[in-house]
Each structure stands twice: as structure tokens, then as C-alpha cells.
Amino acid sequence: MDSKTMAARVEELLSGMTLEEKAAQMIQVPYAIVGREEALRWARLGAGSFLHVLGDDAREIQKTAMEESRLGIPVIFGIDAVHGHSLNDHATIFPSQLAAACSFDPDVAYVMGQVTAREVATDGLHWTFAPVLCLGRDTRWGRIDETFGEDPYLAGEMGAAIIRGFQGDDLADGEHILACAKHYIGYGEAVGARDACDTEMTYRKLREVFLPPFKKAVDAGVGSVMTAYGAIDGTPFTVDRTSLKDILRGELGFDGFVVTDWDNVNALVRRQHVAETARQASVMAAKAGNDMIMTSTQFYDAVIEAVRAGELEESVLDEAVRHILTVKLRMNLFEKPEKAGRPGCLGCAEHLAAAKDASDRSLVLLTNNGVLPLQPSVRKVAVIGSNADDIRAQYGDWTYFTHPTPNPEHEPVRPYVTVKEGVEAACAKRGMACVYHRGCSVLDSEDEDIAGAVEAARDADAIVLVVGDVIAQTGEEKDRAVLELSGRQMELFDALRALGMPLITVLVASKPLAVGRAATDADAFLCAFNGGLFGGEAVAKALFGEINPSGRLPISFPRASGQVPVYYNSLPGWHKQAGKGYCDLPDTPLYAFGEGMGYSAFAYDGLTFDAQTLEAGVNVTNTGSMTGTETVQAYFHDVVSSVLTPVKQLIAFRQVTLAPGETAHVTFRFTREDFSLVNRREQRVTEPGEFELMIGHSSRDGDLLKASFRL
Ligand code: NOJ
């Protein structure tokens, strides 16, 4: 259907709708909360959407909506398929967004989106509430795992790619689903990382730092956007017309529909106290540009009454319904209310292979004194730590263990491989012995046995200690004030370290914890974050050199909780320039954005930059003895600018795989806009003057070659 025919069809539908039907179309009903009977009642009223309902339950609702509501408008079903369609027991569970971002490869995100879409579609659903495009800058926040890390450029590249994977070229296609860029905007920037609180955001900062990933999402054709819980300068984002109307629709040209986050309308009354009644809140939310209202079903009666009382123009509802119907038509739901999907594809071999690849690519090796890869002289490995064998911790948030209602007792569904299982299998294959001891849990518990772990490890040749966090420490409303290793994990590390044997620390966690000496005093430190089904197998492969770790950090590791937020693209300050940090700690991160090593090393030389064509080139050589993949990173710095600008900002990266001794000439072509800033009038401009281009291995100064130029 071309856009003209589609617009005419929308107007035709709209003109036949009653006020009640328009209000209902704007409602998204939470199935898990209201239950089947109430859900069916909403379907008969013509509710536009339902969330958190799977398979046959969804089919029943769709049938009811199409056959028993007056107009038979199809329902659109939404689900949080955040790293795979993981609320379904049989889905392919991918690494978290944060772990996937370590690949620095948009293709990994693309495939993740494609596979997830296929599985969601096969389950009869249409729409995922992903990707998260919030930035992970304050790592105390409970939802860091859901981000693509701290950097707007990387988050935008990964976000646009996963959106293309979810949506494909045509939303009407049976294997593709609607994506949702969330949370618009600045959710991760809550003060003190207190989930869903206000932000210290200005519109200039919003445009400079937080908008770019959403711009890329809109450019990639994202069909829906979810609002954020927080507030900007005292105005809840839910009712912020500037960001929702002027910026999102006016400037970015977004043409899909906006959905609120969970119960945002009621929150205006009960939590944020900017409205006295549900009616007032509903009017505010509708006027600000929210098209679909998640969970706050009071909105239905409220807007009907408000329109009748002359408090709200019916045209406001028309506009919202227009956006929703347009997307439903683009998805061809009127003709095919259920996506065809690909029967039998959930957890199929092809999808599992994609998940394995993503897990392999998400590992970041941060310290290695040569102990890795493990040598054949190692005859016995001791795997220690409860996270080595906790599939819940390995998955992290947003699986059937955590949503739609927390269910940690849920029986884990195979296939999956924990670190313990992965290392056991790798040892068995090589005729090596392997022993496991949990030592202590991640949270304090009564059955700790650190002495037992030390005994178990004593006659091994290498120790693999897995530390991290658990699902009780990650997710909504699970922010942490203390990022140091919880429970007795550090004591366990110290006890094992005292054995004086080769000791490798592996981090299975939702975020960069303040791991301290558990990383720096280990012989090697491997960051795995939440690696999905095959996270444990990937770790084992890396330990034994079956893969050469190639991930890079999309987020900085703090030295201590008190240093947070710490991110590479900070603004300059006087004392920082004088080289000072805190009086008790350096101000640099423990591990920096972009950092990561493998079993090969890369040397850079011959940086060139042409200020006329804006082309740069650099030679990268694999100086190691193993084929490896390097991520060549390009940053810039505006030397003198009208507003403070970051000390460096990523503007491009390229990956090259090089054989030992091989050199590649890597080139970049920039645009003037790559060197832009947002000025005091909130305009994105490139100011003439001196700039610095930095290209190299990571965001650390010592890893970068520099070229100065003028624009
Ligand atoms: C609230 C979360 O903030 C959001 O990310 C999610 O999509 C919705 N709940 C629906 O589960």
C-alpha cells in the first residue's frame, strides 16, 4: 500500500470511530496484571494493544478483538524481547545489550534483532520494547545491562543496526516486528542513579549527549518510541511537549507512534505529583503527544469525560489514533493479524549459532600477564565461585526468570552452558581434570565455604574464579550504591590469591563493578557481563585459546563506587587538566572505554589526515603470533569551542582481522558534522578553528595517535 492510499484508509477508519473507540485504541492493556477475562473485555471494547501475553493467549485476544469488537481493528501485541525473545522458555537468549556492545560490531546487533524478530513473530506477536538507547553513564543504575554502554555514537550505531534487524525492510513481512526506541529520553541520567527519578538535564545537554542515538533510530525507521520515567527541569518526560513534539516529531521527523512507559500516566498523580486526578494526568499526557498509554487504563474513562467536558479536543485523540493505525497498516495487520514467523524456529540450530557468535564476540580481556590462553602444561583447572554455575546470573535481567513477574524458581531450560560446564567440557576434551567449588555466594549467605574452595583449588594448576552480581542486584528499582564486589567475594579472591597459583578472574555481571584487586592482582581478568545461553562456553573457549577475545569495553570500569559516574567523554575541568584526580584516587577509570586485549597485539603508525577531504588513514599491524581482530577507534576534540566540549568523542570505528605480521591501511572519511557541537542556542554546528583527531586502540591517551587540523 503506498503512503497516499494508507493515509486515506486511516482517515476512513478514523471517521467511523466513536470517541470511545478512539480512547480504547490508545490503551495498552497489561495482560499479566488484568488477567484473561478483563483482557477479553478490553478486546471487545477495541483496545489498541496488549503487552506481556504469549502464544495462544494472544491468539484468543486477537480473535476476540477482530470478531467481537464493533470495528474489528487488529490488536498489536508488545513484549520485552530485550536480548532475545527470552520471556518464552524456548527462545534463543542472547547476551545483554551491554555485552553485545562489547563486540563493537553493528552486525552482531543486526543478527540479534533479526533472530529475535523471527522468534517473536512465530509466537504470534508483533512488537518488542527494544532497543534501550539510554546511555550507561552512572553505573549505579540498575539497568546498565540494557544499554549499549556509555557512548552516544556506539549506542546509536548498535541501536540502528538492531532496529534494522527487528524491522527488516518491510514491517509487513511475516518475520519482522516493530521496534521501540526507549526510553525517550535521559532515563539513565536520573540523579544519584535512583531509578526513574528526575535528571539534571538541560535541553542543550539532551541534544548534545542523549539525542544522537534516537536520531539514528528514527533515521533507521524505528516505528515506535517509549517515553521515559524521569523529568527534565521539573517537567516529567511523559508530559514534555518540547522533547516529544518539537524535537522528536518536528526535528527528527519521527512518524511512528509514542507509547508511554509502564503506568506513566498514573505516576503523574501518585509519584510525580504534577496532576491531582487521573483525568488531569490523562489530558496532560494526551496533549503532550503520547499516542498509546501503557497500563494506565484509567486513561480510557478519563479522556472520554474530558472530551465531553470540553477539557480536551477530540482532535488530539484523532492524531494519536492516526499514528497507531498507520503503523498497524504498515504492518499489514488488517490483512494478516498474525505474523507468519517461521514455525519451529525458536531455539533452532541457526539461531543458537547466532547466539554463540554473539557470546564469543562479547568477551573483553582486560588483563593478561601471559597466563592465557591456558597452556597444555596445565593438567587440572579449579573453577570457583557461585556465578560460575548460576544460569540466572549469566542471563541477567529480562528472561522468564525475571518477567513479566519474577520467577527465579522457574526450571532453567536447556540448551545453555555455564562457565563451570564450559570449562569442564573443555578440560574433558583435552584429557585435563577439572574441579568445581562455589566457595561463596554473591550475596551473603550462611553456607559459605571459602576454606573448602581453597582446598579444592590447592592441587590444581590454574584457578578460574568467577565473580559478579546476581539477578537480585540488577533491573528496575535495583540500583546499587555500592559497586564493590558484594558478599565475601573479595575475601574468596584473597584466599585463592594467597595460594600463589595462576589465577584468572572472570566477571559475570550486569555492569562494570568496582572489581579492584580481584582484577588488577589476578593474572588475567576477563569480562563476560551477561553472556546469554552460551556465555559460559564462550569463556571456556577464550581461556583455552579456541577463540581470540576481541571485545572492547563500551563502558568504563570505576576504581571505586565513589568515582561514579566516570566516563571517557567527560568535559574538561581546571584541576583535571593539571593532572590531579581525587586526593585519594586517580580520576581515571580502572579500565577505560574502548579497552580490551586479545592474544595478539596491534601497533599503529603513519596517521594521516587531509583537512580538505576530511579523510584519515592509519597503518595497523598485528605484531602477535595469532590472527586477531582489532577495533580501530577514531575520536576528536574541539580545541577551542563556545561551550565546553568533551575531552574526546568517538566518531567512528572500523574492525580489521589481521594474520600475524599483517598490516592493514585503515581509512576513514568524515563529514564536517562529525566535528560538531551543540551551542548555547541548542543548534548543532561545527565551529571553525582547531581540532584534534585521535586514532588508535582505545580511548586512553597513550593508545592514540594524534593529528591537529583547522576547519
Ligand atoms: C517498564 C520498563 O521501564 C520498560 O523498559 C518496559 O518495556 C516496560 N516496563 C514494559 O515491560
Side-chain angles (χ1 to χ4, degrees):
M1 208 186 285
D2 62 42
S3 57
K4 227 169 145 188
T5 322
M6 203 178 282
R9 178 95 173 88
V10 168
E11 293 313 314
E12 184 193 319
L13 279 164
L14 200 53
S15 63
M17 290 174 85
T18 62
L19 172 61
E20 288 80 354
E21 284 161 343
K22 291 174 192 169
Q25 196 54 221
M26 293 176 71
I27 297 289
Q28 184 178 60
V29 182
Y31 187 87
I33 305 277
V34 302
R36 177 173 171 269
E37 287 308 317
E38 180 67 358
L40 292 175
R41 186 182 75 81
W42 276 107
R44 289 185 200 104
L45 281 179
S49 177
F50 289 73
L51 80 158
H52 295 165
V53 49
L54 300 168
D56 287 341
D57 293 335
R59 290 185 184 100
E60 185 186 22
I61 289 178
Q62 190 66 288
K63 191 165 182 299
T64 308
M66 297 202 66
E67 291 174 7
E68 297 178 38
S69 73
R70 194 180 70 94
L71 295 172
I73 297 176
V75 158
I76 181 165
F77 292 105
I79 190 91
D80 288 281
V82 171
H83 51 121
H85 180 35
S86 338
L87 273 49
N88 181 309
D89 292 5
H90 304 288
T92 304
I93 301 181
F94 281 86
S96 63
Q97 276 196 200
L98 184 66
C102 297
S103 70
F104 266 68
D105 184 354
D107 281 348
V108 167
Y110 177 82
V111 172
M112 190 165 153
Q114 196 181 38
V115 166
T116 303
R118 213 178 273 151
E119 297 199 355
V120 169
T122 306
D123 217 357
L125 312 177
H126 312 113
W127 176 24
T128 178
F129 304 128
V132 169
L133 298 180
C134 308
L135 300 181
R137 307 210 313 172
D138 190 329
T139 45
R140 294 170 294 179
W141 188 35
R143 303 186 71 174
I144 290 295
D145 56 308
E146 294 181 57
T147 72
F148 284 122
E150 71 189 31
D151 179 61
Y153 179 81
L154 178 63
E157 293 296 300
M158 298 297 283
I162 203 169
I163 288 166
R164 291 195 184 96
F166 286 135
Q167 297 196 160
D169 296 330
D170 182 4
L171 274 172
D173 177 281
E175 292 192 3
H176 288 99
I177 59 170
L178 186 70
C180 183
K182 72 184 188 184
H183 307 77
Y184 187 77
I185 189 169
Y187 180 14
E189 203 62 6
V191 176
R194 290 186 289 271
D195 196 33
C197 286
D198 65 316
T199 63
E200 278 167 1
M201 184 101 78
T202 62
Y203 287 104
R204 200 201 69 77
K205 185 169 173 184
L206 178 153
R207 290 170 185 282
E208 171 89 45
V209 185
F210 301 98
L211 195 60
F214 285 94
K215 178 171 182 343
K216 282 187 183 158
V218 172
D219 291 346
V222 73
S224 74
V225 165
M226 187 187 292
T227 54
Y229 285 137
I232 178 163
D233 199 15
T235 300
F237 282 113
T238 319
V239 294
D240 182 47
R241 296 169 69 131
T242 309
S243 54
L244 285 173
K245 291 211 155 183
D246 303 348
I247 300 180
L248 182 63
R249 293 217 181 256
E251 293 175 29
L252 301 193
F254 173 63
D255 66 355
F257 68 82
V258 171
V259 61
T260 70
D261 198 351
W262 188 270
D263 215 16
N264 281 19
V265 171
N266 285 325
L268 296 170
V269 181
R270 295 184 198 147
R271 293 170 192 259
Q272 292 171 313
H273 310 291
V274 294
E276 232 173 294
T277 60
R279 179 147 139 195
Q280 209 185 339
S282 300
V283 169
M284 287 163 75
K287 282 188 178 167
N290 295 279
D291 304 313
M292 187 176 279
I293 309 299
M294 186 191 288
T295 313
S296 308
T297 48
Q298 292 86 337
F299 179 90
Y300 176 75
D301 289 324
V303 286
I304 294 171
E305 285 164 19
V307 171
R308 295 219 169 102
E311 293 160 18
L312 179 66
E313 300 282 333
E314 190 166 340
S315 60
V316 173
L317 273 58
D318 289 345
E319 191 57 14
V321 174
R322 203 170 270 132
H323 294 145
I324 296 169
L325 293 180
T326 304
V327 171
K328 288 185 174 181
L329 280 168
R330 279 173 64 197
M331 297 187 77
N332 199 27
L333 297 188
F334 289 82
E335 303 299 320
K336 289 209 170 105
E338 183 169 347
K339 292 258 173 196
R342 196 187 282 185
C345 77
L346 268 75
C348 69
E350 180 192 340
H351 291 187
L352 296 183
K356 277 190 192 191
D357 180 59
S359 303
D360 291 352
R361 307 281 305 279
S362 66
L363 294 175
V364 192
L365 182 62
L366 291 161
T367 303
N368 182 18
N369 65 6
V371 69
L372 292 182
L374 292 171
Q375 298 304 309
S377 55
V378 173
R379 299 314 304 157
K380 182 173 180 184
V381 179
V383 178
I384 311 284
S386 55
N387 265 16
D389 198 31
D390 180 347
I391 192 58
R392 294 162 183 79
Q394 183 170 310
Y395 287 169
D397 204 10
W398 293 109
T399 71
Y400 52 79
F401 291 125
T402 58
H403 289 87
T405 38
N407 189 7
E409 302 311 319
H410 193 299
E411 193 58 33
V413 183
R414 295 279 178 183
Y416 61 82
V417 183
T418 64
V419 175
K420 166 185 174 275
E421 293 165 345
V423 176
E424 276 170 355
C427 286
K429 200 160 91 183
R430 293 168 175 79
M432 293 160 64
C434 184
V435 60
Y436 170 71
H437 197 290
R438 62 192 282 287
C440 71
S441 50
V442 164
L443 296 170
D444 281 323
S445 78
E446 279 169 9
D447 56 345
E448 314 297 31
D449 185 9
I450 291 178
V454 171
E455 278 322 300
R458 197 176 289 282
D459 68 342
D461 303 308
I463 303 171
V464 176
L465 169 66
V466 183
V467 297
D469 63 15
V470 290
I471 52 176
Q473 293 167 298
T474 181
E476 285 177 72
E477 301 179 44
K478 300 206 187 85
D479 316 313
R480 289 179 65 176
V482 179
L483 292 172
E484 280 70 19
L485 292 178
S486 54
R488 294 174 64 190
Q489 295 184 91
M490 194 58 101
E491 205 182 309
L492 178 61
F493 171 81
D494 288 336
L496 295 169
R497 180 75 293 185
L499 288 173
M501 297 160 49
L503 173 55
I504 299 121
T505 302
V506 176
L507 182 71
V508 170
S510 63
K511 58 169 77 171
L513 297 172
V515 283
R517 64 180 183 279
T520 53
D521 289 1
D523 295 291
F525 176 58
L526 181 65
C527 171
F529 288 134
N530 297 124
L533 287 172
F534 303 109
E537 188 177 287
V539 167
K541 285 193 277 186
L543 296 178
F544 288 91
E546 268 181 52
I547 55 171
N548 187 353
S550 62
R552 302 289 181 259
L553 282 184
I555 194 163
S556 309
F557 268 71
R559 291 176 189 271
S561 301
Q563 199 192 20
V564 171
V566 56
Y567 42 84
Y568 84 95
N569 50 356
S570 59
L571 302 177
W574 310 359
H575 293 171
K576 188 166 173 147
Q577 276 174 354
K580 292 186 191 166
Y582 299 93
C583 59
D584 48 4
L585 266 188
D587 60 4
T588 52
L590 184 66
Y591 297 111
F593 178 86
E595 226 180 294
M597 50 169 75
Y599 302 140
S600 22
F602 298 93
Y604 283 73
D605 70 84
L607 173 63
T608 56
F609 182 70
D610 182 330
Q612 297 306 314
T613 61
L614 304 184
E615 279 174 352
V618 71
N619 299 322
V620 185
T621 304
N622 182 348
T623 57
S625 53
M626 197 168 171
T627 296
T629 299
E630 170 69 334
T631 299
V632 183
Q633 302 164 35
Y635 300 84
F636 91 105
H637 169 54
D638 190 340
V639 177
V640 181
S641 44
S642 62
V643 289
L644 297 188
T645 51
V647 293
K648 57 177 79 77
Q649 174 58 52
L650 185 72
I651 44 173
F653 55 84
R654 298 259 185 288
Q655 269 173 355
V656 280
T657 299
L658 298 173
E662 197 185 350
T663 299
H665 183 65
V666 179
T667 57
F668 294 90
R669 179 163 210 152
F670 300 106
T671 63
R672 278 183 76 94
E673 207 192 333
D674 289 330
F675 305 106
S676 64
L677 53 76
V678 176
N679 68 16
R680 289 171 57 177
R681 292 204 302 276
E682 294 175 26
Q683 298 155 329
R684 190 162 272 283
V685 294
T686 303
E687 293 180 343
E690 192 185 344
F691 292 83
E692 248 179 359
L693 180 70
M694 295 164 259
I695 296 188
H697 170 76
S698 85
S699 69
R700 284 205 192 271
D701 281 335
D703 280 339
L704 294 165
L705 298 178
K706 294 185 184 165
S708 291
F709 64 97
R710 295 189 75 83
L711 282 183

